Amino acid sequence: MKGCMALVVCAAAVAAWTVAADAKDLSITTIKEDPYIMSRGSELEGYCIDLLSELSKQLDSFKYNVHLVKDGRYGAVDTSGTWSGMIGEIVRGEADLAVAPLTLTAVRERAVDMTTPFIQTGLSFILRRDLVCEESSFSLLSPFSTDMWVGILVAFLLTGLCIFLVGRISPTEWAEPGAEEHSFTLLHSFWYVAGALTLQGAGPHPKGLSGRVVSAIWWLFAVMLLACYFANFNSAMHSNSKHDSINSFEDLANQDVVEYGTIDGGSSKLFFKNSKNSLYQRIYDQMERKKSFVSNAAEGVRRAQEGNFAFIGEEVSLDMIAARHCDLVRAQSVIGMRGYSIAAPLGSPLVKNLTIAILKLSESGVLTHLRHKWWASSCEGGHRDQTSEALKPHHLRGLFLLLGLGLGVGLLLALLELMSRARSQAKDSKKSCCSVLTAELSQRFGRRGASAEQDDADKSKA
């Protein structure tokens, strides 16, 4: 009998809420925070707006009006028991729902009813990228970017090939192709270039003008390149030694150069305030002593960009900030896992229906789609290139152009030397200059059999 009465009461409550919902639109309070709620002209957009639209489809298209919370706060209780922010509006009956990145906590659960979380997150912090020392096993490669190393490899291969060609073409380097061995083989050419790059040198050295031009240009390129490498490496080492590496909350608490803070009156502040962990208590005491709390996330981001400040907040929100501002980076350390939920007045029958709808959206992949949609990376201001310390090819564009010019001049001089010799031989043997030049090139690039047959034919004709 009691069970039947309970069912009747529940049915009556649902029916009453349905009638009330039909009578007026639901009043939904929220707060501006990228990418959950953002302004687009006079309208609002963002993750929470799309979430409301999907929930409305799941619950027979209920109607609603969205407004921003008056005091711009999430919700905290003071010593007199009065709630502020979105939770306060729910408690006072000024709103039917609070749809925002509202953290599910035990204190809030006593004042309002909250649904199952639609996003799981934890606490982390963001700070300027140049305040984080990213340790790497390949730190010796850090003075140059990947493109720069690729450019150096291409320059190495082209120079080795150029020395090989000059050694073959120039008569000074290889006077008698049919009688003597060639000094600059392909393997020795690359060995010679590598020796110059390490400032060691490897003989034999070029004897002709063309070979010496190529050699001198490569030596100049190698010296300038090594000077840039060591200068940038030394600068990076000194920059990293100016501050400690800050990669975790323990690193943050064990230094006093970088200040840190979180949103005043938010759940993150309550987490540190009520924590029994000595490390987290030290962090809260430091924030309280220096009064380093911020009024909202925008202020926290601004102070972090100005430098020497770490903004502590929810991981998922900080990921969005780091995706929008490339001069900021989120620490890998994550503590205090929690979730974002929708708040409703105590005893509201809508909480059960919203929980079921959120679970359906999660199982169908809609929540994942919304996450990918609104968390897409788009760095503002192009700060990534400015904060990177690695040298890129355009920084040494002139040096690469000088090397290319030197290689071209060396090859041209080698060809001129060979043409001069071919012209002299053509005068002596009374042949055309082109035929002599062709025979010389054939001998120097391996077609000795063809040149020998040509000589025999010339003798037969004579």
Side-chain angles (χ1 to χ4, degrees):
M1 185 65 181
K2 292 181 179 179
C4 293
M5 289 297 295
L7 289 174
V8 171
V9 171
C10 290
V14 172
W17 176 84
T18 304
V19 172
D22 293 336
K24 67 180 185 68
D25 296 345
L26 292 178
S27 177
I28 297 177
T29 182
T30 188
I31 190 171
K32 269 191 179 182
E33 182 176 339
D34 293 352
Y36 302 98
I37 297 292
M38 299 178 293
S39 295
R40 185 181 60 181
S42 60
E43 299 180 353
L44 297 176
E45 65 174 4
Y47 179 92
C48 289
I49 299 299
D50 287 355
L51 177 63
L52 273 172
S53 177
E54 295 295 336
L55 291 174
S56 175
K57 295 176 184 177
Q58 293 286 331
L59 300 178
D60 298 328
S61 300
F62 65 83
K63 297 181 179 180
Y64 55 88
N65 291 317
V66 181
H67 68 271
L68 298 176
V69 61
K70 298 180 180 65
D71 60 3
R73 293 180 175 272
Y74 289 87
V77 61
D78 58 18
T79 54
S80 64
T82 303
W83 280 90
S84 64
M86 292 179 286
I87 300 297
E89 292 190 1
I90 295 292
V91 171
R92 293 188 296 272
E94 299 172 5
D96 299 308
L97 293 175
V99 181
L102 192 62
T103 307
L104 174 61
T105 63
V107 177
R108 289 172 178 170
E109 186 70 28
R110 296 191 189 99
V112 296
D113 281 346
M114 303 192 77
T115 65
T116 188
F118 56 86
I119 284 183
Q120 294 289 343
T121 184
L123 286 181
S124 187
F125 61 90
I126 57 170
L127 69 169
R128 282 184 63 92
R129 189 177 296 274
D130 55 5
L131 294 177
V132 179
C133 299
E134 299 180 359
E135 298 179 0
S136 172
S137 301
F138 302 98
S139 57
L140 289 175
L141 303 179
S142 60
F144 291 158
S145 66
T146 303
D147 293 340
M148 186 69 174
W149 287 114
V150 172
I152 293 172
L153 178 61
V154 171
F156 174 84
L157 295 176
L158 288 178
T159 305
L161 182 61
C162 185
I163 288 183
F164 169 74
L165 293 176
V166 166
R168 286 243 170 182
I169 295 173
S170 174
T172 310
E173 302 295 339
W174 199 16
E176 299 296 335
E180 62 182 17
E181 290 294 329
H182 181 228
S183 299
F184 279 93
T185 62
L186 191 59
L187 181 61
H188 177 72
S189 298
F190 285 121
W191 178 247
Y192 180 83
V193 172
L197 190 60
T198 56
L199 303 182
Q200 294 299 312
H205 299 284
K207 296 176 289 186
L209 177 61
S210 56
R212 290 180 178 180
V213 168
V214 174
S215 176
I217 288 294
W218 176 251
W219 274 89
L220 178 62
F221 177 84
V223 170
M224 295 297 295
L225 191 69
L226 290 173
C228 293
Y229 173 86
F230 286 115
N232 203 37
F233 184 78
N234 183 60
S235 175
M237 293 296 292
H238 280 286
S239 175
N240 291 342
S241 64
K242 291 180 181 178
H243 51 77
D244 296 329
S245 176
I246 303 176
N247 296 307
S248 66
F249 280 95
E250 186 174 1
D251 297 334
L252 202 62
N254 291 336
Q255 56 82 43
D256 54 2
V257 177
V258 178
E259 288 189 4
Y260 44 88
T262 186
I263 296 177
D264 192 14
S267 61
S268 301
K269 176 183 177 181
L270 292 177
F271 170 82
F272 289 104
K273 182 179 180 179
N274 300 328
S275 176
K276 303 301 181 183
N277 186 296
S278 59
L279 174 63
Y280 304 155
Q281 194 61 48
R282 282 170 51 202
I283 292 177
Y284 176 77
D285 293 341
Q286 179 79 351
M287 291 189 294
E288 188 67 37
R289 184 170 60 255
K290 293 192 175 184
K291 300 300 180 184
S292 55
F293 298 106
V294 295
S295 59
N296 51 49
E299 182 184 351
V301 173
R302 178 184 59 79
R303 291 190 61 184
Q305 286 182 307
E306 290 174 355
N308 287 339
F309 184 80
F311 174 51
I312 301 174
E314 271 84 7
E315 169 201 6
V316 66
S317 298
L318 299 183
D319 283 340
M320 184 66 219
I321 294 171
R324 295 287 181 88
H325 304 276
C326 295
D327 55 344
L328 300 177
V329 61
R330 182 182 69 80
Q332 296 301 314
S333 177
V334 179
I335 61 174
M337 297 303 295
R338 70 272 305 279
Y340 291 159
S341 299
I342 299 175
L346 286 173
S348 173
L350 188 56
V351 173
K352 180 68 174 179
N353 297 330
L354 286 173
T355 295
I356 295 174
I358 289 172
L359 291 175
K360 287 182 179 179
L361 293 177
S362 177
E363 293 168 358
S364 62
V366 174
L367 295 184
T368 303
H369 168 71
L370 294 180
R371 175 74 180 270
H372 291 161
K373 174 184 176 180
W374 291 103
W375 267 257
S377 176
S378 58
C379 297
E380 296 177 354
H383 295 288
R384 188 176 301 276
D385 290 338
Q386 297 177 11
T387 57
S388 176
E389 296 179 352
L391 287 177
K392 294 178 172 55
H394 66 269
H395 294 144
L396 298 178
R397 186 187 296 113
L399 191 59
F400 281 99
L401 289 176
L402 179 63
L403 177 65
L405 181 62
L407 298 183
V409 169
L411 282 173
L412 180 60
L413 288 175
L415 285 172
L416 290 176
E417 290 175 11
L418 186 61
M419 289 176 64
S420 176
R421 173 172 173 167
R423 186 176 180 183
S424 299
Q425 289 182 350
K427 275 187 183 180
D428 295 340
S429 59
K430 301 189 184 221
K431 298 179 184 178
S432 67
C433 185
C434 290
S435 62
V436 174
L437 182 61
T438 304
E440 282 283 346
L441 289 174
S442 299
Q443 283 184 330
R444 293 173 182 279
F445 288 96
R447 297 175 58 189
R448 299 182 183 179
S451 61
E453 291 177 2
Q454 182 67 32
D455 291 341
D456 291 341
D458 292 340
K459 290 179 182 178
S460 300
K461 290 179 182 178

